[in-house]
């Protein structure tokens, strides 16, 4: 480390340019790398987020009059598309508090509970506004999104009085694809970084070229920095392409700031680079690298709430999720992209990601140096 | 004669799956400035390990090494600037062209752009690779790769050159081309240290030859004196005499 900073940076730059040259020539690597997330969004987004069939709905009808009857009939017989089965399978009850209703949703008995107040008919008759409460299982974004949409349409069609729908704990019209996309981007960056890092270190060691550049007057630090810069640029470019593709192809919402997205991804990529480096250092060749990285990456794909909200995962899986950085990146990405929130709302995620980033990066650098 | 490399009591012990392997065992010698120094010895004798330590890649377990007066443990990066290394395994980037490989090395050694371009042109011509300059090296033959490796190690005009088995597996034409390069560098005053399994090559090129066996230095002298000392007519006889007849793993 007796070299000055300028030299270090120049050498890192040389390494970074070299990495880009190599990766751009790897068409068989680059094309799938960009296609993978798009395919994932298509298959999971449309495969899993389609229509809802026979969703169990509980209607708590406390109405003392008869005006609610028509709504109830309409819900019960709704058929979303020609030939499809009925959308809802409706159960009726009376005198159930909101708390009790929530517990039924928690237990997974119903996808939604609609509570009709006792003064419903009375108010409708007097042309006064009336508020209905709709509780949905927001952990199932597919169903809850469709149910909310449906109910909104139904009540906006009611003539005369204002029927207000109160929907606790829901962020508007959330569709599965909106829910999926931010996390797929984080996941893609995570997988992509680890993969390319493996190619850049384990692969280069297998080729004997790593030893070769270590014999030149380039510090280990400059090699690491060069490879890290390459990853940051590559992954950010990839994320931008993906978000644009998701907006154009699937009409995904991007409510938040691009800068914040970049910030989250930069911090997250740092950690992933470190992890990739650590895995490279402990694996003998590309094949064992692939095996180990699959072992690390695959569970994080399912345990971190990419495909479904963490709240619906079993306890033991949630515990795994807490120690996997992807969980926090997913949360931060969703908070920015869907809810359009600012720095304040993702601060806790960022702090944890920075902590993970430092930890994995330090571990990666340590293992990489020790090996040399 | 001026000493350029000084090796004292050098030892390297590897731990491989809880088994101690003494790859280099208390070896001492000097290499003089401007000489062609050969290192021969059966497989596993420790030649490449000594190279790795001399070129700052591997830390010695014991002993000391001074290269151009600099200690390998303390001045590794300074030493790397004045040495050029061709490792035993090919180590070119298969997905870069020959020219890009050379440019990468030149840049990492901070060779000024203009001088670098001139040298690249000159050396590519010298090893007959001019017409392949812009091909990816992944598609090169063994001989082409070796010729490129050899020149990629001298693009920064190093004072000391290390070649680990530069001619293994090459046809006679390529071997001769590499010998020519060796003599050319020698004429320019560079110090050249290389290993080989071809006794004729060592005999022909080297000012002095070190014979290694199982991590130990068995003999070190000029080829003629070595032959005289053991009453042999060829270096091969000396070699067998000093290192025995059984095959190593
Ligand atoms: N990284 C390593 N880890 C463990 N053992 C090693 C390592 N490198 C070399 N060795 C061992 O050290 C000994 C010397 O190996 P070295 O490669 O230096 O021999 P060599 O003289 O170059 O042989 P060859 O002529 O076959 O190239 C061998 O027994 C080898 O197995
Ligand atoms: Mg060897």
């Amino acid at each position: 480390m007796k070299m000055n900073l300028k030299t270090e940076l120049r050498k890192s730059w040389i390494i970074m340019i070299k990495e880009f040259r190599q990766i751009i020539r790897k068409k068989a690597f680059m094309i799938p790398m960009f296609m993978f997330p798009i395919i994932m969004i298509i298959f999971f987004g449309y495969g899993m987020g389609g229509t809802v069939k026979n969703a169990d709905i509980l209607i708590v009808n406390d109405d003392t009059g008869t005006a609610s009857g028509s709504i109830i009939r309409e819900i019960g017989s709704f058929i979303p598309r020609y030939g499809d089965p009925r959308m809802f399978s409706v159960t009726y009850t009376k005198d159930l508090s909101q708390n009790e209703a929530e517990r039924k949703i928690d237990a997974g008995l119903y996808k939604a509970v609609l509570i009709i107040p006792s003064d419903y008919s009375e108010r409708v008759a007097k042309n006064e506004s009336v508020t209905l409460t709709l509780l949905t299982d927001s952990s199932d974004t597919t169903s809850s999104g469709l149910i909310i949409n449906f109910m909104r349409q139904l009540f906006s069609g009611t003539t005369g009085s204002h029927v207000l729908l109160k929907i606790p704990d829901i962020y508007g019209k959330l569709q599965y694809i909106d829910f999926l996309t931010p996390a797929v981007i984080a996941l893609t960056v995570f997988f992509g970084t680890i993969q390319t890092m493996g190619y850049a270190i384990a692969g280069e060691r297998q080729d004997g070229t790593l030893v070769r550049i270590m014999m030149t007057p380039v510090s280990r630090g400059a090699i690491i920095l060069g490879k890290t810069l390459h990853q940051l640029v590559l992954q950010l470019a990839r994320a931008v392409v993906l978000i644009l593709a998701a907006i154009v192809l699937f009409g995904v919402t991007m409510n938040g700031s691009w800068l914040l997205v970049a910030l989250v991804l930069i911090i997250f990529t740092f950690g992933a680079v470190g992890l990739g480096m650590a895995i490279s250092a402990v694996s003998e060749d590309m094949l064992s690298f692939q095996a180990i990285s699959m072992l690390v990456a695959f569970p994080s794909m399912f345990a971190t709430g990419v495909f479904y909200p963490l709240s619906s995962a079993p306890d033991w899986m949630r515990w795994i999720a807490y120690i996997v950085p992807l969980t926090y990146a997913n949360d931060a990405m969703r908070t920015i992209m869907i809810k359009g929130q600012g720095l304040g709302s993702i601060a806790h995620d960022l702090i944890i990601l920075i902590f993970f980033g430092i930890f994995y990066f330090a571990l990666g650098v340590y293992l990489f140096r020790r090996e040399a | 004669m001026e000493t350029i490399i000084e090796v004292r009591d050098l030892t390297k012990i590897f731990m491989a799956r809880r088994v101690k392997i003494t790859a280099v065992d208390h070896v001492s010698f000097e290499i003089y400035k401007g000489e062609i120094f050969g290192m021969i010895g059966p497989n596993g004798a420790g030649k490449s390990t000594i190279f790795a330590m001399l070129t700052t890649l591997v830390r010695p377990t014991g002993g000391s090494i001074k290269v151009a007066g600099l200690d390998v443990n303390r001045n590794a990066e300074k030493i790397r600037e004045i040495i050029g290394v061709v490792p035993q395994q090919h180590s070119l980037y298969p997905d870069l062209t020959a020219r890009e490989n050379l440019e990468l090395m030149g840049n990492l050694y901070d060779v000024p752009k203009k001088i670098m371009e001139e040298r690249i042109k000159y050396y590519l011509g010298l090893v007959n690779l001019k017409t392949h300059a812009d091909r990816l090296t992944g598609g090169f033959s063994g001989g082409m790769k070796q010729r490129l490796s050899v020149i990629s190690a001298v693009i920064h005009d190093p004072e000391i050159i290390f070649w680990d088995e530069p001619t293994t597996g090459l046809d006679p034409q390529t071997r001769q081309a590499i010998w020519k390069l060796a003599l050319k560098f020698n004429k320019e005053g560079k110090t050249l240290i290389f290993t080989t399994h071809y006794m004729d090559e060592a005999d022909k090129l080297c000012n002095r030859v070190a014979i290694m066996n199982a991590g130990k230095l068995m003999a070190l002298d000029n080829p003629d004196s070595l032959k005289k000392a053991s009453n042999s007519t060829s270096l091969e006889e000396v070699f067998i005499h000093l290192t025995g007849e059984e095959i190593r793993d």
Side-chain angles (χ1 to χ4, degrees):
Chain A
M1 285 293 126
K2 270 161 239 129
M3 298 179 119
N4 65 45
L5 188 65
K6 233 173 108 184
T7 320
E8 291 284 306
L9 289 177
R10 195 179 59 245
K11 301 253 159 112
S12 309
W13 183 259
I14 295 167
I15 303 273
M16 183 189 85
I17 298 293
K18 172 199 78 88
E19 299 286 331
F20 270 113
R21 272 213 174 114
Q22 289 180 281
I23 200 109
I24 283 164
R25 294 213 173 116
K26 287 246 179 289
K27 299 253 170 4
F29 184 75
M30 284 294 273
I31 294 170
M33 205 168 77
F34 276 87
M35 291 303 292
F36 166 74
I38 296 180
I39 289 171
M40 201 144 131
I41 291 173
I42 293 174
F43 278 80
F44 286 103
Y46 291 123
M48 289 164 74
T51 57
V52 171
K53 290 164 196 164
N54 292 319
D56 288 312
I57 274 198
L58 179 66
I59 295 179
V60 183
N61 192 357
D62 294 333
D63 187 15
T64 49
T66 53
S68 55
S70 66
I71 312 174
I72 289 172
R73 264 195 305 283
E74 201 168 334
I75 295 172
S77 63
F78 183 73
I79 294 171
R81 255 183 273 148
Y82 184 74
D84 281 352
R86 276 192 304 174
M87 190 161 176
F88 304 119
S89 109
V90 185
T91 314
Y92 306 92
T93 186
K94 276 184 124 191
D95 293 329
L96 193 75
S97 76
Q98 186 169 327
N99 273 345
E100 288 168 311
E102 277 175 19
R103 243 172 282 137
K104 289 199 185 292
I105 290 178
D106 281 345
L109 295 172
Y110 299 102
K111 286 291 174 199
V113 179
L114 180 70
I115 303 172
I116 302 172
S118 59
D119 55 356
Y120 182 82
S121 294
E122 204 178 311
R123 280 173 170 266
V124 169
K126 287 196 217 152
N127 239 344
E128 284 173 359
S129 75
V130 53
T131 303
L132 275 67
T133 306
L134 177 66
L135 299 166
T136 64
D137 180 355
S138 60
S139 64
D140 179 352
T141 49
T142 314
S143 309
S144 74
L146 285 166
I147 291 168
I148 290 164
N149 273 346
F150 168 76
M151 294 291 180
R152 283 229 171 99
Q153 267 168 21
L154 181 68
F155 291 116
S156 68
T158 323
T159 45
S161 62
H162 302 282
V163 178
L164 302 176
L165 202 55
K166 195 171 93 190
I167 310 166
D169 283 331
I170 289 288
Y171 320 111
K173 281 195 235 174
L174 194 67
Q175 295 198 333
Y176 184 65
I177 209 156
D178 294 304
F179 170 81
L180 183 69
T181 304
V184 166
I185 289 164
L187 177 76
T188 302
V189 164
F190 183 65
F191 273 27
T193 308
I194 291 183
Q195 282 275 302
T196 26
M197 249 354 245
Y199 168 65
I201 291 183
E204 202 172 308
R205 183 173 36 209
Q206 202 172 339
D207 287 344
T209 47
L210 193 60
V211 167
R212 188 74 188 84
I213 48 172
M214 279 180 179
M215 282 178 189
T216 67
V218 176
S219 69
R220 307 281 190 275
I223 296 175
I224 292 168
L225 185 61
K227 286 175 185 281
T228 306
L229 287 175
H230 164 247
Q231 284 302 327
L232 290 179
V233 176
L234 183 71
Q235 301 305 339
L236 278 184
R238 219 166 143 227
V240 169
V241 169
L242 283 178
I243 297 174
L244 288 177
I247 292 173
V248 173
L249 297 177
F250 313 116
V252 161
T253 39
M254 169 62 179
N255 292 325
S257 142
W258 287 86
L259 272 180
L260 276 185
V261 167
L263 181 69
V264 171
L265 291 181
I266 286 173
I267 294 172
F268 183 50
T269 305
F270 250 106
V273 164
L275 187 58
M277 208 148 47
I279 299 174
S280 302
V282 297
S283 48
E284 287 145 25
D285 49 23
M286 270 315 270
L287 203 64
S288 50
F289 174 85
Q290 301 284 2
I292 300 174
S293 64
M294 268 323 252
L295 198 66
V296 173
F298 219 67
S300 56
M301 180 157 133
F302 292 101
T304 58
V306 173
F307 299 110
Y308 46 80
L310 259 187
S311 51
S312 60
D315 276 350
W316 62 268
M317 213 185 253
R318 264 210 303 276
W319 281 109
I320 295 177
Y322 289 136
I323 57 166
V324 178
L326 185 58
T327 308
Y328 304 96
N330 285 345
D331 188 52
M333 290 292 284
R334 282 189 179 126
T335 310
I336 300 168
M337 287 183 63
I338 304 175
K339 300 192 208 169
Q341 299 289 302
L343 193 58
S345 308
I346 57 164
H348 64 288
D349 287 323
L350 281 185
I351 289 168
I352 295 172
L353 283 177
I354 288 171
F355 173 77
F356 271 120
I358 292 172
F359 173 75
Y360 281 118
F361 201 76
L363 179 74
V365 171
Y366 168 75
L367 289 176
F368 179 72
R369 278 170 177 274
R370 192 194 60 170
E371 162 208 28
Chain B
M1 265 171 285
E2 191 185 333
T3 300
I4 195 155
I5 295 180
E6 190 185 311
V7 176
R8 285 279 157 266
D9 227 17
L10 186 63
T11 299
K12 180 70 200 182
I13 297 170
F14 286 113
M15 285 300 288
R17 298 183 200 279
R18 286 161 203 271
V19 181
K20 265 192 187 180
I21 297 171
T22 307
V24 178
D25 195 359
H26 296 87
V27 168
S28 301
F29 61 90
E30 276 111 38
I31 295 173
Y32 303 129
K33 191 176 163 74
E35 75 173 330
I36 300 185
F37 185 93
M39 214 180 262
I40 57 178
N43 293 133
K47 305 180 294 294
S48 295
T49 307
I50 290 189
F51 264 43
M53 290 189 286
L54 294 182
T55 57
T56 76
L57 200 64
V58 168
R59 263 176 184 264
T61 311
S64 71
I65 302 173
K66 276 192 179 149
V67 177
L70 302 164
D71 187 287
V72 282
N73 287 332
R74 265 170 285 149
N75 291 302
E77 287 188 7
K78 276 220 183 78
I79 292 174
R80 282 186 213 144
E81 283 171 24
I82 57 163
I83 63 174
V85 188
V86 181
Q88 188 168 357
Q89 276 87 22
H90 296 300
S91 50
L92 301 163
Y93 286 96
D95 37 18
L96 296 183
T97 66
R99 188 190 305 283
E100 285 165 350
N101 266 287
L102 294 173
E103 279 171 352
L104 175 66
M105 284 302 146
N107 285 330
L108 289 177
Y109 284 104
D110 279 324
V111 181
K113 199 158 175 65
K114 238 187 120 193
I115 298 176
M116 179 167 77
E117 295 309 326
E118 274 166 25
R119 280 191 198 151
I120 288 178
K121 212 172 132 194
Y122 170 71
Y123 281 124
L124 281 174
L126 207 63
V127 296
N128 246 330
L129 284 175
K130 225 173 212 158
T131 50
H132 305 290
D134 297 307
R135 271 180 57 192
L136 299 185
T137 65
F140 276 17
S141 74
M144 289 164 79
K145 282 183 191 162
Q146 191 61 24
R147 281 179 278 154
L148 187 62
S149 290
V150 165
I151 62 170
S152 78
V154 292
I155 227 65
H156 57 295
D157 199 27
E159 232 179 285
I160 310 169
I161 303 171
F162 291 89
W163 283 351
D164 199 353
E165 298 191 27
T167 57
T168 300
L170 300 185
D171 61 25
Q173 288 87 344
T174 313
R175 281 179 71 189
Q176 293 211 354
I178 285 175
W179 293 347
K180 254 195 220 157
L181 269 179
L183 294 171
K184 176 187 141 56
F185 293 143
N186 181 242
K187 225 188 221 154
E188 290 168 4
K190 299 186 195 308
T191 309
L192 177 65
I193 301 139
F194 77 99
T195 69
T196 183
H197 286 299
Y198 302 111
M199 297 302 128
D200 58 324
E201 189 167 286
D203 200 351
K204 191 170 179 161
L205 288 179
C206 296
N207 300 110
R208 290 190 307 148
V209 177
I211 302 180
M212 299 276 310
N213 187 32
K216 290 202 166 69
L217 180 63
M218 309 304 291
L220 168 59
D221 214 328
N222 65 59
D224 288 333
S225 309
L226 284 172
K227 282 181 252 179
K228 223 173 274 166
S230 61
N231 264 328
S232 310
T233 52
S234 71
L235 204 53
E236 184 139 353
E237 271 179 52
V238 182
F239 186 88
I240 298 287
H241 175 74
L242 285 172
T243 61
E245 284 182 5
E246 79 275 19
I247 294 173
R248 319 298 148 93
D249 8 73

